[in-house]
Amino acid sequence: ASAQEFIVSDGSANLYFWDRDTLAEKRSVKVTRLDGREQDQLNELEYMDGLVCCNIWYSDDIICVEPESGNSVREYDMSSLWP
């Protein structure tokens, strides 16, 4: 990902990279968890320290993926934040 791209999710297991100026899709990657499973329901994307962090819709999980491969490299279970 670069400053020239928007990173977009449609709720599937894909992340889409759009040209900042034309909004044309430049590429896409399939997101996989640490265990190799595809992950859909990607939501609330944040680009942080070279990774795309996504919360999983209706889940307490946040995963951070490499934008070039779509592979998860960090996974957080936030369920302990609930009372």
Side-chain angles (χ1 to χ4, degrees):
S2 75
Q4 306 301 313
E5 296 175 313
F6 283 118
I7 306 169
V8 180
S9 170
D10 62 1
S12 71
N14 296 310
L15 291 177
Y16 302 94
F17 297 81
W18 292 358
D19 181 271
R20 179 188 70 180
D21 298 319
T22 67
L23 300 182
E25 183 180 320
K26 295 168 66 176
R27 63 187 179 89
S28 66
V29 294
K30 179 97 42 199
V31 173
T32 56
R33 300 289 296 252
L34 289 173
D35 64 8
R37 289 180 296 126
E38 286 185 10
Q39 179 62 63
D40 62 356
Q41 303 296 318
L42 304 172
N43 190 36
E44 297 183 19
L45 309 178
E46 299 289 338
Y47 188 75
M48 180 178 73
D49 296 330
L51 300 174
V52 182
C53 297
C54 324
N55 91 313
I56 310 305
W57 186 253
Y58 287 107
S59 167
D60 295 320
D61 294 338
I62 296 173
I63 64 173
C64 297
V65 302
E66 294 177 332
E68 296 302 321
S69 68
N71 296 329
S72 176
V73 294
R74 297 182 195 156
E75 298 189 2
Y76 302 96
D77 177 355
M78 308 303 271
S79 62
S80 65
L81 297 177
W82 291 101

